[in-house]
Amino acid sequence: MGELSLRRDKLFDALPNNTVALVFSGVSKICSEDSFHPFLANRNFFYLTGVEQENSILMIVKCAGEKKTYLFLDEYNELKERWTGKRLTFNEATNISEIVNVYANSTFDSMLSMALASSNNMYGKIENLFIDLSDEIKIKLNCSTQLFAKELEEKYPHLNIKNIYPYIVELRLVKSDYEIRQLEEAINITSTGINDLLLNLKVGMAEHELSDRFEYYGKTHGRIGLAFETIAATGKDATIMHHPIAQQVGVINSGDLVLFDLGYRYKGYNADISRTYPIDGTFNDFQKRVYEAVLNCNKHIIEFAKPGLRLCDLQEEALKFLKAECLRLKLLKEEDDIKKYYIHNVSHFLGLDTHDVGNRERELVPGNVITVEPGLYFVEEGVGVRIEDDVLITSEGARCLSKCIKKELSDIERMMKNRIR
Ligand code: GLY
Ligand code: MN
C-alpha cells in the first residue's frame, strides 16, 4: 500500500462506522480585485491526497464493512485552461493520490446526496458526517465549510455532523519514514541556501538583500519555495521576533550580529532553522556570552526532550535553564528579568505547516517533529540571538535533524573568518 493510501486507511480505522467524511482543498484567497494569493491546498486535504489543486474534494465512506474513497476535481475546460493554465487530468490525479475513483465536481452533489439519504442505500445507512470545521476553509469564495455543514444539517437532520480535524491531527503528528525523509531534504537544501548566504554576506548589505537571495537560491535550485517569509535581521532589528520583509531595510554594520530564521518547503514539508552570525568573524564579549547561553539552552533542550514530556514542559525547562545561564554569564541582575529578554516559546511542531498541528499540552511520542529555538534579545545593546534546530522525537529521546548546519561558537567564528579572509 502506498504512503497516501496508508494515511487514509489509518483515518478509516479511526472513524466510526456509518460515516461519510469530506475534506476540501479550498480555493485561492483574493489578494485584490481579480488577483489571488498563490494557492496552497488545505494541508489536511494535501496530507490525505497529495493533490495541490483548488476546488478538489476528498470523500470517504465507511459503511457496512466497506471503505470507499472518491476524489472530485474540476472537469477539463478548454477556455479556463487558456486563461489560468493546465489542471490535473483525472489520470494524473489518480497517479498522485492513489485514488482510482476520480470524478468531475459536477457529479459531487448527487454522489453526496446518494450517500447521505436517510434510507438504506448502496452505501448502507449513514449516521455521521465528518467535515474539516476547525479553520475557515473556503469551499467557494462565498462559502466556508462551516456554512456548508449548516446547510447539510438542515437538509439531513438525522446526521451527526462532526469535525474531522482532530482525527487528522492525530495522524499528522506522527511522521512516517517518508515524511521524515522529506523534512531532512528540506533541511539539507536549507543548509545549502545558508551556505550561499554566508559566502555573500558582507558589511553594507541591506537585510532584504539576504532574504531575497535566499528565496532566489531556492527558486534557481530546483524551484524550491519558502516555508515562510524569511527573517534576516541585523543589530537591533534582530530583537524583533518576526522582523517583516517590508521592514528589512536595515544595513549590516561592522560589529553586528546577523540573525536568520528561514527554511525551504520540500514536497510540502517545511524546514525552520535559525542561526546567528557575527559579521566580522568574531563575537565581542557581550555577544559571546549571549550566544553561549542560547547555544547551551538549545543543546540542553534537545538532550532533555523525550516521549512523555509536553511542549509546555520544554518551555518551562528552557526558561529555567536560560535564567540560570544568564545569571552565570552575568547577563541578568534580577532573575525575573529573563522574561524581558526571552519572550517566545522554545518549540512548536513542524511538518506540512511550519507551525504544525498539535497543542502544547499533549505528550510527545516517537515520530513527532518539533523545533528547538531558544533566543535572547537585548534591545538596548542591539543584540538578538536565536538558534533553532529541527528535532525528531524517538523512543530514546530526540534526534537533531539539522546537525548539518553548524552552530558551535568556534565553528561559526572559523566559518566567518575563513569566508572573509
Ligand atoms: N520560524 C518562525 C517561527 O517559528 O515563528
Ligand atoms: Mn520556528
Side-chain angles (χ1 to χ4, degrees):
M1 197 182 283
E3 171 81 13
L4 295 167
S5 308
L6 210 65
R7 293 178 189 175
R8 292 190 296 266
D9 221 52
K10 285 188 187 153
L11 182 62
F12 269 121
D13 287 345
L15 289 172
N17 209 8
N18 303 331
T19 284
V20 168
L22 299 173
V23 186
F24 294 84
S25 73
V27 292
S28 291
K29 293 193 174 72
I30 288 187
C31 180
S32 83
E33 278 299 331
D34 72 340
S35 73
F36 293 85
H37 288 290
F39 178 70
L40 195 66
N42 162 21
R43 299 293 78 193
N44 291 335
F45 175 85
F46 180 79
Y47 177 77
L48 293 170
T49 65
V51 169
E52 194 75 82
Q53 182 167 290
E54 60 183 335
N55 289 328
S56 311
I57 310 165
L58 172 71
M59 175 163 107
I60 63 181
V61 183
K62 176 175 175 178
C63 202
E66 280 208 69
K67 306 169 185 173
K68 301 197 180 81
T69 307
Y70 305 91
L71 182 63
F72 297 89
L73 305 176
D74 279 342
E75 42 276 80
Y76 175 72
N77 179 323
E78 190 184 354
L79 184 62
K80 199 164 178 188
E81 292 206 352
R82 288 288 306 282
W83 280 96
T84 52
K86 253 187 68 55
R87 299 177 86 76
L88 291 176
T89 65
F90 292 4
N91 254 341
E92 286 167 340
T94 294
N95 289 340
I96 294 168
S97 64
E98 305 159 16
I99 297 171
V100 180
N101 299 314
V102 181
Y103 296 112
N105 275 335
S106 55
T107 66
F108 172 69
D109 284 346
S110 60
M111 295 275 282
L112 181 63
S113 303
M114 211 152 58
L116 296 182
S118 61
S119 58
N120 283 353
N121 58 31
M122 65 181 274
Y123 297 102
K125 186 167 165 57
I126 298 299
E127 291 162 1
N128 310 297
L129 174 65
F130 282 83
I131 303 187
D132 189 344
L133 292 172
S134 292
D135 288 315
E136 272 286 308
I137 299 160
K138 296 276 187 221
I139 299 172
K140 300 191 184 92
L141 281 178
N142 54 0
C143 182
S144 64
T145 53
Q146 324 270 343
L147 262 173
F148 184 67
K150 233 185 190 108
E151 280 169 21
L152 291 176
E153 201 169 19
E154 280 161 19
K155 198 162 163 198
Y156 303 102
H158 69 282
L159 282 180
N160 300 311
I161 298 192
K162 297 179 185 162
N163 193 358
I164 200 167
Y165 182 85
Y167 290 80
I168 305 176
V169 167
E170 289 305 314
L171 302 179
R172 280 179 56 183
L173 269 168
V174 181
K175 270 60 179 178
S176 67
D177 291 346
Y178 166 85
E179 291 182 286
I180 292 161
R181 283 198 303 276
Q182 310 320 304
L183 281 163
E184 284 175 326
E185 194 52 29
I187 293 163
N188 286 339
I189 306 164
T190 299
S191 168
T192 60
I194 292 176
N195 289 339
D196 172 72
L197 281 182
L198 293 182
L199 281 174
N200 291 283
L201 187 61
K202 48 181 183 292
V203 167
M205 276 178 111
E207 293 157 334
H208 72 84
E209 290 181 70
L210 298 164
S211 42
D212 293 345
R213 185 172 184 101
F214 185 72
E215 185 168 5
Y216 183 72
Y217 183 90
K219 285 187 171 161
T220 49
H221 289 77
R223 304 193 70 204
I224 307 286
L226 299 176
F228 53 92
E229 238 186 34
T230 301
I231 299 166
T234 186
K236 206 174 228 161
D237 289 348
T239 66
I240 297 163
M241 302 310 105
H242 287 168
H243 183 47
I245 287 274
Q247 291 171 26
Q248 290 182 13
V249 291
V251 170
I252 303 171
N253 291 309
S254 178
D256 276 352
L257 295 184
V258 184
L259 186 156
F260 296 115
D261 186 340
L262 40 69
Y264 292 120
R265 174 184 294 142
Y266 179 75
K267 299 208 172 153
Y269 289 86
N270 298 301
D272 184 5
I273 302 291
S274 301
R275 289 289 185 271
T276 309
Y277 301 97
I279 188 67
D280 296 329
T282 42
F283 293 91
N284 68 29
D285 173 64
F286 181 72
Q287 293 167 343
K288 192 176 269 185
R289 282 182 287 138
V290 177
Y291 194 89
E292 194 180 325
V294 175
L295 179 65
N296 287 344
C297 182
N298 164 291
K299 293 199 281 193
H300 174 71
I301 296 297
I302 295 173
E303 272 290 309
F304 179 76
K306 60 175 185 197
L309 293 176
R310 304 162 302 167
L311 295 189
C312 55
D313 298 324
L314 303 191
Q315 173 67 355
E316 200 182 308
E317 182 69 14
L319 200 60
K320 200 170 79 190
F321 189 90
L322 273 179
K323 194 191 291 179
E325 276 294 276
C326 285
L327 289 170
R328 179 180 73 82
L329 291 160
K330 310 221 170 350
L331 291 165
L332 286 186
K333 289 191 192 80
E334 300 289 331
E335 281 196 19
D336 279 351
D337 281 353
I338 188 66
K339 293 205 175 108
K340 276 196 227 158
Y341 304 116
Y342 173 55
I343 62 173
H344 57 78
N345 281 308
V346 77
S347 294
H348 55 80
F349 290 105
L350 182 70
L352 288 176
D353 285 299
T354 302
H355 285 209
D356 210 28
V357 293
N359 76 44
R360 318 189 58 74
E361 273 74 42
R362 63 177 304 132
E363 290 187 2
L364 293 170
V365 296
N368 290 160
V369 176
I370 63 170
T371 63
V372 173
E373 51 178 308
L376 285 171
Y377 310 90
F378 291 85
V379 179
E380 276 170 30
E381 293 79 356
V383 169
V385 173
R386 179 156 69 251
I387 305 173
E388 176 175 25
D389 282 301
D390 301 339
V391 168
L392 170 69
I393 302 299
T394 66
S395 50
E396 285 86 40
R399 176 160 72 81
C400 182
L401 300 176
S402 45
K403 271 204 188 105
C404 56
I405 308 172
K406 291 196 184 336
K407 62 185 173 186
E408 290 300 326
L409 193 141
S410 55
D411 287 332
I412 296 275
E413 287 195 334
R414 193 176 47 248
M415 274 161 58
M416 294 302 286
K417 274 192 212 138
N418 288 347
R419 191 191 61 87
I420 293 164
R421 259 194 293 271

